Amino acid sequence: ADLIVDVGHIPHNAEERLKRALPFPGRYYRDELHHNYFTYGVAYLQHEYFDEARAAFEQSIERSHSNPAAYYNLGLICLNKGQFSEARTSLKKAVELDPANADAWNNLGVVVGQEGDYDQAQLDFQRALDRQPTHVLALQNMVKLLRYQGKPKKALDLLLNAIHIDPRQAELHRGLGMLYVEDKNLEAARVEFEKAVALEPANTEMINGLGVVLMQMGNSDRAMRLFEQCARLAPNFDRPYLNMAVLYLSSGNANKAHNVLS
């Protein structure tokens, strides 16, 4: 019965729709009412409905070509799907509309890097760092690129400068520690991993990394304690178990290695 009544009151034009929609009479001064597709897109993105999010951001862009965040999110979805050409188009529009967006510059660098244009990728990563000198992802990407280009000194200086600006970012110390590990400077690596763990004492990746450095330095007892701590904090994190097995095997305890892997 309610449905039949409602059918009889279906609005037939914009004026009737507006009258039905608003809670009181009066003159409406804004543009035509419509869904906020950008908000829909953000909600879909947060819940990992990527196709629905993409459609919503595309609808948002259709209504307004001046929202940099819509282009950025659309570019991010395309990047994660490996659709680099579409990602590059959207991210270029995002930085054109909002040149201060360090995240957009970093992701644009990732896209052009995936396409093989390393010089442009380096420029884009640098633009991200010009706007946010301690942008962790841009730093990580720039460090990888510089080392790939055979410029380890520049990579090291980049991280040292970022740590000088913000010594409280554990991820920066971890990144510097990884560089020292690659250069076989284990004592310097240990110092950086110790700093990272002190800043984020529950971060199992950093605890495990410190354990690996200590294991390579021959401090097996402390390394084992750190791996055991990782296993307690994150039982589903596999690497500490693998590292414990290596230590057990190296000490002749094959049964314990088998048990921990099991």
Side-chain angles (χ1 to χ4, degrees):
D2 288 341
L3 177 60
I4 292 170
V5 172
D6 286 344
V7 168
H9 292 87
I10 291 176
H12 293 91
N13 53 52
E15 184 179 355
E16 290 182 7
R17 275 193 295 276
L18 194 61
K19 185 176 179 181
R20 293 277 290 166
L22 297 180
F24 46 80
R27 183 177 176 186
Y28 183 71
Y29 284 89
R30 298 200 60 183
D31 296 331
E32 179 186 352
L33 294 171
H34 59 84
H35 288 301
N36 186 335
Y37 288 106
F38 177 78
T39 303
Y40 275 106
V42 171
Y44 282 131
L45 193 60
Q46 288 176 341
H47 289 83
E48 300 184 355
Y49 289 99
F50 299 117
D51 292 335
E52 291 82 355
R54 178 174 184 166
F57 289 129
E58 287 172 343
Q59 287 177 295
S60 175
I61 289 169
E62 283 181 16
R63 297 202 64 87
S64 171
H65 299 289
S66 60
N67 184 352
Y71 286 102
Y72 171 74
N73 287 321
L74 183 56
L76 189 61
I77 292 169
C78 293
L79 171 58
N80 289 333
K81 285 179 170 288
Q83 298 166 341
F84 300 126
S85 177
E86 296 91 333
R88 177 166 30 84
T89 300
S90 295
L91 290 168
K92 277 188 173 181
K93 187 66 176 178
V95 296
E96 176 187 320
L97 292 169
D98 182 14
N101 188 337
D103 291 335
W105 282 114
N106 173 67
N107 285 320
L108 184 57
V110 171
V111 170
V112 296
Q114 290 285 349
E115 294 177 325
D117 191 346
Y118 301 125
D119 291 336
Q120 185 60 49
Q122 185 170 342
L123 288 173
D124 291 334
F125 294 143
Q126 187 58 55
R127 289 186 178 108
L129 293 171
D130 288 342
R131 288 151 178 81
Q132 192 175 330
T134 59
H135 191 289
V136 172
L137 292 177
L139 283 166
Q140 290 173 340
N141 289 325
M142 184 70 101
V143 165
K144 289 178 186 175
L145 186 55
L146 289 171
R147 290 187 70 83
Y148 175 76
Q149 293 174 334
K151 302 173 182 176
K153 178 67 166 56
K154 283 190 174 182
L156 181 64
D157 289 343
L158 189 69
L159 276 176
L160 287 171
N161 180 64
I163 290 172
H164 176 73
I165 294 170
D166 185 5
R168 301 292 301 171
Q169 280 211 53
E171 192 60 45
L172 299 181
H173 291 286
R174 176 176 176 268
L176 183 56
M178 293 297 295
L179 281 187
Y180 285 138
V181 168
E182 291 177 18
D183 292 337
K184 310 300 182 186
N185 188 347
L186 295 180
E187 176 55 28
R190 181 194 65 77
V191 171
E192 294 305 320
F193 272 102
E194 296 273 17
K195 291 177 181 177
V197 171
L199 290 167
E200 293 188 14
N203 188 316
T204 51
E205 294 232 359
M206 293 177 186
I207 297 170
N208 179 72
L210 176 58
V212 170
V213 172
L214 292 168
M215 182 168 64
Q216 292 179 3
M217 295 178 74
N219 191 344
S220 299
D221 291 340
R222 188 174 174 218
M224 179 65 81
R225 291 196 299 272
L226 289 170
F227 297 142
E228 290 171 345
Q229 180 184 353
C230 282
R232 288 192 299 272
L233 289 171
N236 293 325
F237 183 30
D238 60 346
R239 273 176 281 173
Y241 298 103
L242 299 172
N243 292 324
M244 281 190 274
V246 169
L247 287 176
Y248 282 132
L249 279 172
S250 65
S251 63
N253 290 315
N255 286 336
K256 286 188 175 181
H258 180 274
N259 290 338
V260 77
L261 290 174
S262 296

